[in-house]
Amino acid sequence: MIRERYLNLALLAALLAVPVLAQVQGAPFTITLATKIAIFALAAVGLNLALGLGGLVSFGHAAFFGVGGYVIGILASHARNYEPFLTWPVEVAGTTQMLVLWPLAVLVAALVAAAIGALSLRTSGIFFIMITLAFAQMLYYFAVSWPTYGGEDGLPFYLRGDFPGLNTMDPISFFGLCYALLLVALWLFHRLHRARFGLALEGARQNPERVQALGIRPFQVRLLAFILSGAITGLAGALYADLNRFVSPAMLGWQTSGELIVLIILGGVGRLCGPVAGAGLFFLLEHWLGGLSEFWQFWFGLILLCVVLFARGGLIGALAKDQTHD
Amino acid sequence: MSLSLLLEQVLNGLQFGMMLFLMSAGLTLVFGVMGLINLAHGSFYMIGAFACAGVAMATGSFFLGLVAALAAAAVAGVLVEMLVIRRLYDRDHLDQVLATFALILVFSEGTRYLFGSFPLYLDVPPLLSGAVALPGGIDYPVYRLAVILAGGLLAVGLFWLVGHTRLGIRIRAGEADREMIAALGVDIDRLYTIVFALGTALAGLAGAIVGTLQSVQVGMGEPVLILAFVVIVIGGIGSIKGALIGALLVGLTDTLGRSLLPVAFAAFLPPSEANAVGSALASLLIYLLMAGVLVFRPSGLFGAVRA
């Protein structure tokens, strides 16, 4: 247990130190890479809540990631073009204020998660996997065929949102924002894990009948976890949209959902910093293998296959050598 | 929209549904018998399409291509089952998702390496090209009619196989109680390999058939895979009948929605807007159908009700 805590601190320190060093040396690409890692780690922290603690294998978290992104993209493009977002019943203008956009992205992603969760959680197992995948794909096709916000081509919006007192176009400032939000999400995950809610959720994964006998309805606990999970992933989607200053249906695609699961497995399911370790490993592998071969995904697939078949517990599990997670 | 145009769309929907059935039948058997979720099923669809396109280009014969597609997908299925899938039956669904997701990456990039990123095109064989005049005054492509017919025959064949042969009895027994049939002396490893290869061969056939209607390219399998999931959710896991009904429902809903909704919206919206709203909503229809089925029958139309 103690070892895993040190490992977590080392990981978070490394994720902070690398871009700071890169800033000193003037290597903006490294900062962007670290920002990407922080954002995907944040998205995976969200998924880890549902998948790791709740055992809900959602193959549709791209839906929340993309929805968060589109909230930013749509409102920012309205603000840049000075067109009101809504004219009826009240006039609502677009905005570029991150402090307004973030809560909105979280709220919309939570609402979408509530709708998808309420339907999908009626089932379990293989059905749940297929249904979450199908609903995410529904949003993907909707984004592709809805022409107002770019359709298949996506929606560029040129400038990042504004944050009081910071120049968000400066890579290291933007990294700082993402890193801070990642820390908040990790703190939340840690607190929830230890709270009654987290215990009920883990109980619902391990033995739903017993949890029910204790007077807790597994459905409600799972739904709440799914909504929280979607909200956190939605916030990550909002940051990713701002990082690229572009949203496209690809954010909603099934590959994104698959990648988020891969991050968690690589890092270690249900572990606090599993998503951080997984995201770091994934993007470093992508960077390294991508430099070696044009067909890096082939080799990545083989590595992943070996990890699943032979090395369970992920990176943190391999390094921490304890059994805190079943 | 005239009646003949509507009839043509119904036929298109049936053809799409039959293709989805070929894809879903194997998936639902593997789910039902082995309890395995196989995301890489779409890769076998792609392998079938590429094998067919490759052989058809080399020999000039589409029918040799079909044979090659069946053979390639079946052989790939046997290999994948014996090397990877076999280790996953006792694992939880998360491991199955991950391992088969990894297989998708391997197959997609492997195919890109072998065939390149440019799409291939397959021609409709001369025997099945052209159109026939159907009653009601429509000319309908022979090839699509042949697909509907072949799909129907294969469905009948599968029902016969599962319902009336020794292999079918074993498959159904495996769904009900796998320890029991292993104890009765059935070689369960071989049974699983056969069922898996049967499913991948059907997926390969579906890919080869569609190769003449769409382009053959890397990544063509996954959208169809997700539609097959929708089919299975609607039809119920493990049920061939459910897969057939679900596939036809999805095929007809999607095709008719795409052609009728824009027309329906044109009644009260300007044409360009009606087209946009109609086609965007049409892309949601099958998922709404799925949601509706889930609300009323969470285990699908023909799925066994499980506690």
Side-chain angles (χ1 to χ4, degrees), chain B residues 220-255:
Chain B
M220 66 189 289
E222 282 66 43
V224 184
L225 171 84
I226 294 164
L227 287 181
F229 281 168
V230 174
V231 166
I232 290 170
V233 170
I234 290 174
I237 283 183
S239 163
I240 301 267
K241 188 164 95 184
L244 181 62
I245 307 272
L248 293 180
L249 266 178
V250 168
L252 285 170
T253 309
D254 194 58
T255 312

PDB file of all heavy atoms in Angstrom, chain B residues 220-255:
ATOM      1  N   MET B 220     -13.406  -1.269 -42.697  1.00  0.00           N
ATOM      2  CA  MET B 220     -14.777  -1.414 -43.173  1.00  0.00           C
ATOM      3  C   MET B 220     -15.609  -2.273 -42.223  1.00  0.00           C
ATOM      4  O   MET B 220     -16.827  -2.202 -42.222  1.00  0.00           O
ATOM      5  CB  MET B 220     -14.794  -2.042 -44.568  1.00  0.00           C
ATOM      6  CG  MET B 220     -14.291  -3.482 -44.594  1.00  0.00           C
ATOM      7  SD  MET B 220     -14.071  -4.148 -46.250  1.00  0.00           S
ATOM      8  CE  MET B 220     -15.751  -4.345 -46.785  1.00  0.00           C
ATOM      9  N   GLY B 221     -14.934  -3.085 -41.389  1.00  0.00           N
ATOM     10  CA  GLY B 221     -15.654  -4.064 -40.583  1.00  0.00           C
ATOM     11  C   GLY B 221     -16.317  -3.506 -39.339  1.00  0.00           C
ATOM     12  O   GLY B 221     -17.368  -3.983 -38.934  1.00  0.00           O
ATOM     13  N   GLU B 222     -15.708  -2.479 -38.740  1.00  0.00           N
ATOM     14  CA  GLU B 222     -16.169  -2.082 -37.412  1.00  0.00           C
ATOM     15  C   GLU B 222     -17.557  -1.424 -37.419  1.00  0.00           C
ATOM     16  O   GLU B 222     -18.362  -1.714 -36.540  1.00  0.00           O
ATOM     17  CB  GLU B 222     -15.127  -1.201 -36.728  1.00  0.00           C
ATOM     18  CG  GLU B 222     -13.965  -1.999 -36.151  1.00  0.00           C
ATOM     19  CD  GLU B 222     -13.106  -2.675 -37.208  1.00  0.00           C
ATOM     20  OE1 GLU B 222     -12.820  -2.010 -38.221  1.00  0.00           O
ATOM     21  OE2 GLU B 222     -12.751  -3.844 -37.047  1.00  0.00           O
ATOM     22  N   PRO B 223     -17.855  -0.530 -38.381  1.00  0.00           N
ATOM     23  CA  PRO B 223     -19.229  -0.001 -38.389  1.00  0.00           C
ATOM     24  C   PRO B 223     -20.266  -1.112 -38.503  1.00  0.00           C
ATOM     25  O   PRO B 223     -21.313  -1.061 -37.844  1.00  0.00           O
ATOM     26  CB  PRO B 223     -19.251   0.900 -39.631  1.00  0.00           C
ATOM     27  CG  PRO B 223     -17.846   1.291 -39.842  1.00  0.00           C
ATOM     28  CD  PRO B 223     -17.021   0.113 -39.410  1.00  0.00           C
ATOM     29  N   VAL B 224     -19.976  -2.133 -39.334  1.00  0.00           N
ATOM     30  CA  VAL B 224     -20.918  -3.236 -39.486  1.00  0.00           C
ATOM     31  C   VAL B 224     -20.994  -4.052 -38.201  1.00  0.00           C
ATOM     32  O   VAL B 224     -22.061  -4.525 -37.815  1.00  0.00           O
ATOM     33  CB  VAL B 224     -20.495  -4.127 -40.673  1.00  0.00           C
ATOM     34  CG1 VAL B 224     -21.504  -5.223 -40.899  1.00  0.00           C
ATOM     35  CG2 VAL B 224     -20.340  -3.295 -41.902  1.00  0.00           C
ATOM     36  N   LEU B 225     -19.837  -4.205 -37.536  1.00  0.00           N
ATOM     37  CA  LEU B 225     -19.806  -4.938 -36.271  1.00  0.00           C
ATOM     38  C   LEU B 225     -20.752  -4.290 -35.263  1.00  0.00           C
ATOM     39  O   LEU B 225     -21.523  -4.968 -34.568  1.00  0.00           O
ATOM     40  CB  LEU B 225     -18.387  -4.952 -35.707  1.00  0.00           C
ATOM     41  CG  LEU B 225     -18.305  -5.509 -34.298  1.00  0.00           C
ATOM     42  CD1 LEU B 225     -18.235  -7.011 -34.340  1.00  0.00           C
ATOM     43  CD2 LEU B 225     -17.157  -4.933 -33.531  1.00  0.00           C
ATOM     44  N   ILE B 226     -20.708  -2.942 -35.197  1.00  0.00           N
ATOM     45  CA  ILE B 226     -21.533  -2.251 -34.214  1.00  0.00           C
ATOM     46  C   ILE B 226     -23.011  -2.398 -34.577  1.00  0.00           C
ATOM     47  O   ILE B 226     -23.852  -2.587 -33.706  1.00  0.00           O
ATOM     48  CB  ILE B 226     -21.082  -0.789 -34.087  1.00  0.00           C
ATOM     49  CG1 ILE B 226     -19.673  -0.784 -33.486  1.00  0.00           C
ATOM     50  CG2 ILE B 226     -22.021   0.002 -33.217  1.00  0.00           C
ATOM     51  CD1 ILE B 226     -18.933   0.500 -33.621  1.00  0.00           C
ATOM     52  N   LEU B 227     -23.318  -2.382 -35.889  1.00  0.00           N
ATOM     53  CA  LEU B 227     -24.702  -2.642 -36.294  1.00  0.00           C
ATOM     54  C   LEU B 227     -25.111  -4.056 -35.898  1.00  0.00           C
ATOM     55  O   LEU B 227     -26.245  -4.292 -35.460  1.00  0.00           O
ATOM     56  CB  LEU B 227     -24.855  -2.463 -37.809  1.00  0.00           C
ATOM     57  CG  LEU B 227     -24.821  -1.032 -38.307  1.00  0.00           C
ATOM     58  CD1 LEU B 227     -24.999  -0.989 -39.803  1.00  0.00           C
ATOM     59  CD2 LEU B 227     -25.918  -0.231 -37.636  1.00  0.00           C
ATOM     60  N   ALA B 228     -24.180  -5.011 -36.031  1.00  0.00           N
ATOM     61  CA  ALA B 228     -24.498  -6.386 -35.644  1.00  0.00           C
ATOM     62  C   ALA B 228     -24.763  -6.465 -34.144  1.00  0.00           C
ATOM     63  O   ALA B 228     -25.627  -7.234 -33.709  1.00  0.00           O
ATOM     64  CB  ALA B 228     -23.363  -7.323 -36.046  1.00  0.00           C
ATOM     65  N   PHE B 229     -24.057  -5.660 -33.359  1.00  0.00           N
ATOM     66  CA  PHE B 229     -24.343  -5.608 -31.925  1.00  0.00           C
ATOM     67  C   PHE B 229     -25.778  -5.136 -31.688  1.00  0.00           C
ATOM     68  O   PHE B 229     -26.496  -5.687 -30.860  1.00  0.00           O
ATOM     69  CB  PHE B 229     -23.376  -4.650 -31.213  1.00  0.00           C
ATOM     70  CG  PHE B 229     -22.025  -5.235 -30.961  1.00  0.00           C
ATOM     71  CD1 PHE B 229     -20.975  -4.436 -30.553  1.00  0.00           C
ATOM     72  CD2 PHE B 229     -21.791  -6.590 -31.120  1.00  0.00           C
ATOM     73  CE1 PHE B 229     -19.722  -4.971 -30.312  1.00  0.00           C
ATOM     74  CE2 PHE B 229     -20.551  -7.136 -30.878  1.00  0.00           C
ATOM     75  CZ  PHE B 229     -19.512  -6.312 -30.476  1.00  0.00           C
ATOM     76  N   VAL B 230     -26.157  -4.083 -32.420  1.00  0.00           N
ATOM     77  CA  VAL B 230     -27.528  -3.578 -32.276  1.00  0.00           C
ATOM     78  C   VAL B 230     -28.526  -4.691 -32.608  1.00  0.00           C
ATOM     79  O   VAL B 230     -29.513  -4.913 -31.899  1.00  0.00           O
ATOM     80  CB  VAL B 230     -27.746  -2.350 -33.193  1.00  0.00           C
ATOM     81  CG1 VAL B 230     -29.193  -1.907 -33.165  1.00  0.00           C
ATOM     82  CG2 VAL B 230     -26.846  -1.208 -32.763  1.00  0.00           C
ATOM     83  N   VAL B 231     -28.230  -5.431 -33.697  1.00  0.00           N
ATOM     84  CA  VAL B 231     -29.089  -6.541 -34.103  1.00  0.00           C
ATOM     85  C   VAL B 231     -29.228  -7.549 -32.965  1.00  0.00           C
ATOM     86  O   VAL B 231     -30.329  -8.001 -32.637  1.00  0.00           O
ATOM     87  CB  VAL B 231     -28.511  -7.231 -35.356  1.00  0.00           C
ATOM     88  CG1 VAL B 231     -29.175  -8.580 -35.595  1.00  0.00           C
ATOM     89  CG2 VAL B 231     -28.674  -6.337 -36.568  1.00  0.00           C
ATOM     90  N   ILE B 232     -28.089  -7.880 -32.339  1.00  0.00           N
ATOM     91  CA  ILE B 232     -28.120  -8.920 -31.312  1.00  0.00           C
ATOM     92  C   ILE B 232     -28.827  -8.435 -30.056  1.00  0.00           C
ATOM     93  O   ILE B 232     -29.548  -9.188 -29.405  1.00  0.00           O
ATOM     94  CB  ILE B 232     -26.678  -9.381 -31.017  1.00  0.00           C
ATOM     95  CG1 ILE B 232     -26.179 -10.161 -32.227  1.00  0.00           C
ATOM     96  CG2 ILE B 232     -26.631 -10.247 -29.791  1.00  0.00           C
ATOM     97  CD1 ILE B 232     -24.727 -10.456 -32.168  1.00  0.00           C
ATOM     98  N   VAL B 233     -28.623  -7.159 -29.729  1.00  0.00           N
ATOM     99  CA  VAL B 233     -29.330  -6.604 -28.571  1.00  0.00           C
ATOM    100  C   VAL B 233     -30.838  -6.673 -28.821  1.00  0.00           C
ATOM    101  O   VAL B 233     -31.616  -7.017 -27.926  1.00  0.00           O
ATOM    102  CB  VAL B 233     -28.882  -5.153 -28.303  1.00  0.00           C
ATOM    103  CG1 VAL B 233     -29.778  -4.506 -27.264  1.00  0.00           C
ATOM    104  CG2 VAL B 233     -27.442  -5.130 -27.822  1.00  0.00           C
ATOM    105  N   ILE B 234     -31.246  -6.364 -30.052  1.00  0.00           N
ATOM    106  CA  ILE B 234     -32.670  -6.409 -30.366  1.00  0.00           C
ATOM    107  C   ILE B 234     -33.168  -7.856 -30.396  1.00  0.00           C
ATOM    108  O   ILE B 234     -34.211  -8.192 -29.834  1.00  0.00           O
ATOM    109  CB  ILE B 234     -32.945  -5.712 -31.724  1.00  0.00           C
ATOM    110  CG1 ILE B 234     -32.733  -4.204 -31.562  1.00  0.00           C
ATOM    111  CG2 ILE B 234     -34.351  -6.014 -32.215  1.00  0.00           C
ATOM    112  CD1 ILE B 234     -32.842  -3.435 -32.842  1.00  0.00           C
ATOM    113  N   GLY B 235     -32.399  -8.738 -31.027  1.00  0.00           N
ATOM    114  CA  GLY B 235     -32.861 -10.108 -31.213  1.00  0.00           C
ATOM    115  C   GLY B 235     -32.714 -10.981 -29.985  1.00  0.00           C
ATOM    116  O   GLY B 235     -33.469 -11.927 -29.804  1.00  0.00           O
ATOM    117  N   GLY B 236     -31.720 -10.690 -29.158  1.00  0.00           N
ATOM    118  CA  GLY B 236     -31.462 -11.541 -27.995  1.00  0.00           C
ATOM    119  C   GLY B 236     -30.228 -12.392 -28.240  1.00  0.00           C
ATOM    120  O   GLY B 236     -30.057 -12.946 -29.323  1.00  0.00           O
ATOM    121  N   ILE B 237     -29.392 -12.500 -27.198  1.00  0.00           N
ATOM    122  CA  ILE B 237     -28.128 -13.226 -27.346  1.00  0.00           C
ATOM    123  C   ILE B 237     -28.364 -14.711 -27.556  1.00  0.00           C
ATOM    124  O   ILE B 237     -29.179 -15.323 -26.864  1.00  0.00           O
ATOM    125  CB  ILE B 237     -27.252 -13.003 -26.094  1.00  0.00           C
ATOM    126  CG1 ILE B 237     -26.617 -11.621 -26.153  1.00  0.00           C
ATOM    127  CG2 ILE B 237     -26.163 -14.055 -25.990  1.00  0.00           C
ATOM    128  CD1 ILE B 237     -25.688 -11.328 -25.029  1.00  0.00           C
ATOM    129  N   GLY B 238     -27.632 -15.275 -28.527  1.00  0.00           N
ATOM    130  CA  GLY B 238     -27.661 -16.719 -28.703  1.00  0.00           C
ATOM    131  C   GLY B 238     -28.784 -17.233 -29.583  1.00  0.00           C
ATOM    132  O   GLY B 238     -28.845 -18.417 -29.863  1.00  0.00           O
ATOM    133  N   SER B 239     -29.663 -16.342 -30.023  1.00  0.00           N
ATOM    134  CA  SER B 239     -30.804 -16.803 -30.802  1.00  0.00           C
ATOM    135  C   SER B 239     -30.604 -16.501 -32.283  1.00  0.00           C
ATOM    136  O   SER B 239     -30.500 -15.342 -32.682  1.00  0.00           O
ATOM    137  CB  SER B 239     -32.078 -16.117 -30.295  1.00  0.00           C
ATOM    138  OG  SER B 239     -33.099 -16.232 -31.249  1.00  0.00           O
ATOM    139  N   ILE B 240     -30.548 -17.574 -33.117  1.00  0.00           N
ATOM    140  CA  ILE B 240     -30.417 -17.371 -34.560  1.00  0.00           C
ATOM    141  C   ILE B 240     -31.680 -16.713 -35.105  1.00  0.00           C
ATOM    142  O   ILE B 240     -31.617 -15.820 -35.951  1.00  0.00           O
ATOM    143  CB  ILE B 240     -30.204 -18.724 -35.267  1.00  0.00           C
ATOM    144  CG1 ILE B 240     -28.953 -19.409 -34.728  1.00  0.00           C
ATOM    145  CG2 ILE B 240     -30.128 -18.549 -36.759  1.00  0.00           C
ATOM    146  CD1 ILE B 240     -27.728 -19.123 -35.504  1.00  0.00           C
ATOM    147  N   LYS B 241     -32.832 -17.147 -34.574  1.00  0.00           N
ATOM    148  CA  LYS B 241     -34.087 -16.550 -35.019  1.00  0.00           C
ATOM    149  C   LYS B 241     -34.086 -15.058 -34.680  1.00  0.00           C
ATOM    150  O   LYS B 241     -34.467 -14.221 -35.501  1.00  0.00           O
ATOM    151  CB  LYS B 241     -35.258 -17.252 -34.324  1.00  0.00           C
ATOM    152  CG  LYS B 241     -36.604 -16.845 -34.864  1.00  0.00           C
ATOM    153  CD  LYS B 241     -37.678 -17.827 -34.431  1.00  0.00           C
ATOM    154  CE  LYS B 241     -38.368 -17.328 -33.183  1.00  0.00           C
ATOM    155  NZ  LYS B 241     -39.362 -18.246 -32.640  1.00  0.00           N
ATOM    156  N   GLY B 242     -33.619 -14.732 -33.456  1.00  0.00           N
ATOM    157  CA  GLY B 242     -33.551 -13.334 -33.050  1.00  0.00           C
ATOM    158  C   GLY B 242     -32.629 -12.541 -33.958  1.00  0.00           C
ATOM    159  O   GLY B 242     -32.927 -11.413 -34.331  1.00  0.00           O
ATOM    160  N   ALA B 243     -31.501 -13.178 -34.346  1.00  0.00           N
ATOM    161  CA  ALA B 243     -30.561 -12.485 -35.228  1.00  0.00           C
ATOM    162  C   ALA B 243     -31.221 -12.190 -36.568  1.00  0.00           C
ATOM    163  O   ALA B 243     -31.052 -11.094 -37.121  1.00  0.00           O
ATOM    164  CB  ALA B 243     -29.299 -13.324 -35.422  1.00  0.00           C
ATOM    165  N   LEU B 244     -31.990 -13.153 -37.095  1.00  0.00           N
ATOM    166  CA  LEU B 244     -32.637 -12.944 -38.394  1.00  0.00           C
ATOM    167  C   LEU B 244     -33.674 -11.824 -38.300  1.00  0.00           C
ATOM    168  O   LEU B 244     -33.642 -10.874 -39.092  1.00  0.00           O
ATOM    169  CB  LEU B 244     -33.297 -14.243 -38.866  1.00  0.00           C
ATOM    170  CG  LEU B 244     -33.981 -14.156 -40.228  1.00  0.00           C
ATOM    171  CD1 LEU B 244     -32.974 -13.819 -41.315  1.00  0.00           C
ATOM    172  CD2 LEU B 244     -34.709 -15.436 -40.563  1.00  0.00           C
ATOM    173  N   ILE B 245     -34.566 -11.933 -37.306  1.00  0.00           N
ATOM    174  CA  ILE B 245     -35.619 -10.906 -37.169  1.00  0.00           C
ATOM    175  C   ILE B 245     -34.980  -9.548 -36.883  1.00  0.00           C
ATOM    176  O   ILE B 245     -35.340  -8.535 -37.481  1.00  0.00           O
ATOM    177  CB  ILE B 245     -36.575 -11.267 -36.014  1.00  0.00           C
ATOM    178  CG1 ILE B 245     -37.120 -12.687 -36.191  1.00  0.00           C
ATOM    179  CG2 ILE B 245     -37.681 -10.238 -35.876  1.00  0.00           C
ATOM    180  CD1 ILE B 245     -38.341 -12.811 -37.001  1.00  0.00           C
ATOM    181  N   GLY B 246     -34.008  -9.522 -35.967  1.00  0.00           N
ATOM    182  CA  GLY B 246     -33.348  -8.265 -35.622  1.00  0.00           C
ATOM    183  C   GLY B 246     -32.653  -7.653 -36.826  1.00  0.00           C
ATOM    184  O   GLY B 246     -32.747  -6.445 -37.069  1.00  0.00           O
ATOM    185  N   ALA B 247     -31.960  -8.489 -37.621  1.00  0.00           N
ATOM    186  CA  ALA B 247     -31.224  -7.981 -38.780  1.00  0.00           C
ATOM    187  C   ALA B 247     -32.188  -7.378 -39.795  1.00  0.00           C
ATOM    188  O   ALA B 247     -31.941  -6.293 -40.341  1.00  0.00           O
ATOM    189  CB  ALA B 247     -30.411  -9.103 -39.420  1.00  0.00           C
ATOM    190  N   LEU B 248     -33.302  -8.070 -40.039  1.00  0.00           N
ATOM    191  CA  LEU B 248     -34.261  -7.537 -41.015  1.00  0.00           C
ATOM    192  C   LEU B 248     -34.897  -6.252 -40.487  1.00  0.00           C
ATOM    193  O   LEU B 248     -35.063  -5.281 -41.237  1.00  0.00           O
ATOM    194  CB  LEU B 248     -35.338  -8.580 -41.332  1.00  0.00           C
ATOM    195  CG  LEU B 248     -34.805  -9.815 -42.071  1.00  0.00           C
ATOM    196  CD1 LEU B 248     -35.925 -10.804 -42.357  1.00  0.00           C
ATOM    197  CD2 LEU B 248     -34.127  -9.415 -43.372  1.00  0.00           C
ATOM    198  N   LEU B 249     -35.200  -6.218 -39.175  1.00  0.00           N
ATOM    199  CA  LEU B 249     -35.767  -5.002 -38.588  1.00  0.00           C
ATOM    200  C   LEU B 249     -34.801  -3.830 -38.739  1.00  0.00           C
ATOM    201  O   LEU B 249     -35.190  -2.737 -39.167  1.00  0.00           O
ATOM    202  CB  LEU B 249     -36.038  -5.221 -37.095  1.00  0.00           C
ATOM    203  CG  LEU B 249     -37.437  -5.676 -36.667  1.00  0.00           C
ATOM    204  CD1 LEU B 249     -37.469  -5.888 -35.167  1.00  0.00           C
ATOM    205  CD2 LEU B 249     -38.462  -4.631 -37.071  1.00  0.00           C
ATOM    206  N   VAL B 250     -33.531  -4.079 -38.385  1.00  0.00           N
ATOM    207  CA  VAL B 250     -32.536  -3.003 -38.462  1.00  0.00           C
ATOM    208  C   VAL B 250     -32.333  -2.584 -39.913  1.00  0.00           C
ATOM    209  O   VAL B 250     -32.303  -1.393 -40.231  1.00  0.00           O
ATOM    210  CB  VAL B 250     -31.212  -3.443 -37.815  1.00  0.00           C
ATOM    211  CG1 VAL B 250     -30.101  -2.465 -38.143  1.00  0.00           C
ATOM    212  CG2 VAL B 250     -31.368  -3.559 -36.315  1.00  0.00           C
ATOM    213  N   GLY B 251     -32.214  -3.551 -40.811  1.00  0.00           N
ATOM    214  CA  GLY B 251     -31.995  -3.236 -42.221  1.00  0.00           C
ATOM    215  C   GLY B 251     -33.132  -2.405 -42.791  1.00  0.00           C
ATOM    216  O   GLY B 251     -32.904  -1.381 -43.450  1.00  0.00           O
ATOM    217  N   LEU B 252     -34.363  -2.821 -42.515  1.00  0.00           N
ATOM    218  CA  LEU B 252     -35.521  -2.104 -43.062  1.00  0.00           C
ATOM    219  C   LEU B 252     -35.662  -0.726 -42.414  1.00  0.00           C
ATOM    220  O   LEU B 252     -35.883   0.267 -43.114  1.00  0.00           O
ATOM    221  CB  LEU B 252     -36.798  -2.916 -42.835  1.00  0.00           C
ATOM    222  CG  LEU B 252     -36.968  -4.122 -43.761  1.00  0.00           C
ATOM    223  CD1 LEU B 252     -38.126  -4.997 -43.315  1.00  0.00           C
ATOM    224  CD2 LEU B 252     -37.192  -3.656 -45.198  1.00  0.00           C
ATOM    225  N   THR B 253     -35.514  -0.660 -41.079  1.00  0.00           N
ATOM    226  CA  THR B 253     -35.664   0.626 -40.392  1.00  0.00           C
ATOM    227  C   THR B 253     -34.656   1.637 -40.910  1.00  0.00           C
ATOM    228  O   THR B 253     -34.994   2.778 -41.222  1.00  0.00           O
ATOM    229  CB  THR B 253     -35.446   0.451 -38.877  1.00  0.00           C
ATOM    230  OG1 THR B 253     -36.273  -0.609 -38.426  1.00  0.00           O
ATOM    231  CG2 THR B 253     -35.777   1.709 -38.122  1.00  0.00           C
ATOM    232  N   ASP B 254     -33.410   1.189 -41.035  1.00  0.00           N
ATOM    233  CA  ASP B 254     -32.363   2.120 -41.461  1.00  0.00           C
ATOM    234  C   ASP B 254     -32.603   2.590 -42.891  1.00  0.00           C
ATOM    235  O   ASP B 254     -32.585   3.789 -43.175  1.00  0.00           O
ATOM    236  CB  ASP B 254     -30.999   1.429 -41.340  1.00  0.00           C
ATOM    237  CG  ASP B 254     -29.868   2.425 -41.441  1.00  0.00           C
ATOM    238  OD1 ASP B 254     -29.840   3.355 -40.618  1.00  0.00           O
ATOM    239  OD2 ASP B 254     -29.037   2.286 -42.355  1.00  0.00           O
ATOM    240  N   THR B 255     -32.832   1.647 -43.798  1.00  0.00           N
ATOM    241  CA  THR B 255     -32.984   2.005 -45.204  1.00  0.00           C
ATOM    242  C   THR B 255     -34.225   2.866 -45.433  1.00  0.00           C
ATOM    243  O   THR B 255     -34.169   3.902 -46.107  1.00  0.00           O
ATOM    244  CB  THR B 255     -33.070   0.738 -46.064  1.00  0.00           C
ATOM    245  OG1 THR B 255     -32.022  -0.139 -45.676  1.00  0.00           O
ATOM    246  CG2 THR B 255     -32.945   1.067 -47.526  1.00  0.00           C
TER     247      THR B 255
END
